[in-house]
Amino acid sequence: MSQIGNNIKKLRSVKGLSQQAFADLFGLTRGNISSYEERRAEPKIEIMLQIAKYFSIPIAELLQKQLTVNEILNFEDYFPAEPLTVMTGGLAKIPFLDREYFRQYDASERATEKMPLIHFPLDSNNKFLAVENSSFVPHPVGFSFEEHMVLFFEQVTVDILHTLGDHFGYFDGDTPFFGRFALDGNEIALVLNDWKKELYSAEMAPHFWKLFGKFERVL
């Protein structure tokens, strides 16, 4: 039995997408997505291929396996364990902040054009940032990512504000930290703990990033 409907629903949940937002990504209607999730219909093969490519998931697993949250967020099962900086055509060029960057952190030197790049298969027009998880970056309770894991973040834009609630994020201002987004009425904040948070505003918008996925090399 095909698992495409279950996996579409799980993908939406993990990525914080409404049925309409998911439909918009692939030129579909909210009704299409509802019918897939309720197993009243299945997408055409070209749509399945678009979904697999967009979320970087092998088509066979998208169709045949009930994907877990960890599998959706975890890139290592889907890409070869080659050096991250290998130059390969068709890959997104993503600024990379490693532990040495934070060891010698200087807020005046954080312009992304000066950073080394990771070349990685992400099919999106949005801006991304790759950050090596390390003890140099403060993180909130429940931030269960291993040291040296590379976390991929999508820059927060107006069209994804509604997806932020309770998702992990990264703030790259004068004092960078990992946090969890909290929505309270019209106020959006990235929260580190009871004493430290940053409020989202149009002026500060470029400094807010939402967790998109992770890369963990398995040796």
Side-chain angles (χ1 to χ4, degrees), residues 9-63:
K9 189 172 184 178
K10 182 64 69 66
L11 281 165
R12 284 201 308 102
S13 175
V14 172
K15 300 298 184 182
L17 296 170
S18 66
Q19 287 185 334
Q20 186 61 60
F22 191 96
D24 290 344
L25 291 174
F26 306 105
L28 302 170
T29 66
R30 190 200 63 78
N32 290 143
I33 306 306
S34 176
S35 66
Y36 302 155
E37 293 181 358
E38 295 172 10
R39 298 188 179 184
R40 292 183 282 108
E42 287 197 347
K44 296 179 180 179
I45 186 60
E46 57 265 31
I47 297 298
M48 295 181 187
L49 291 171
Q50 288 178 32
I51 293 171
K53 180 180 179 182
Y54 186 88
F55 292 105
S56 302
I57 296 172
I59 185 65
E61 296 202 14
L62 183 66
L63 294 177

Side-chain angles (χ1 to χ4, degrees), residues 32-143:
N32 290 143
I33 306 306
S34 176
S35 66
Y36 302 155
E37 293 181 358
E38 295 172 10
R39 298 188 179 184
R40 292 183 282 108
E42 287 197 347
K44 296 179 180 179
I45 186 60
E46 57 265 31
I47 297 298
M48 295 181 187
L49 291 171
Q50 288 178 32
I51 293 171
K53 180 180 179 182
Y54 186 88
F55 292 105
S56 302
I57 296 172
I59 185 65
E61 296 202 14
L62 183 66
L63 294 177
Q64 300 170 10
K65 182 178 181 181
Q66 288 196 36
L67 299 173
T68 66
V69 172
N70 284 339
E71 286 172 327
I72 290 171
L73 287 176
N74 201 344
F75 289 119
E76 79 265 21
D77 292 336
Y78 311 135
F79 303 104
E82 298 175 356
L84 295 179
T85 54
V86 169
M87 293 291 289
T88 307
L91 302 185
K93 299 177 181 178
I94 304 170
F96 176 48
L97 312 183
D98 62 9
R99 63 188 299 106
E100 290 303 315
Y101 171 87
F102 293 104
R103 188 197 301 273
Q104 308 172 40
Y105 184 73
D106 181 347
S108 66
E109 295 292 329
R110 65 174 183 260
T112 56
E113 61 269 17
K114 298 180 181 180
M115 299 172 187
L117 300 175
I118 279 181
H119 296 76
F120 211 78
L122 288 175
D123 185 16
S124 174
N125 292 324
N126 294 342
K127 289 185 177 180
F128 286 90
L129 188 66
V131 182
E132 181 181 2
N133 186 31
S134 74
S135 58
F136 297 111
V137 187
H139 56 76
V141 173
F143 194 74

Side-chain angles (χ1 to χ4, degrees), residues 134-193:
S134 74
S135 58
F136 297 111
V137 187
H139 56 76
V141 173
F143 194 74
S144 58
F145 299 99
E146 300 290 337
E147 283 268 326
H148 305 297
M149 188 175 289
V150 178
L151 304 177
F152 289 83
F153 293 90
E154 178 183 18
Q155 191 168 57
V156 173
T157 56
V158 173
D159 58 328
I160 68 168
L161 290 180
H162 66 288
T163 73
L164 296 181
D166 207 36
H167 278 74
F168 286 121
Y170 171 68
F171 179 74
D172 74 346
D174 291 340
T175 306
F177 65 90
F178 299 123
R180 190 187 292 271
F181 283 105
L183 279 61
D184 184 8
N186 292 325
E187 182 179 279
I188 300 171
L190 186 63
V191 179
L192 173 61
N193 52 39

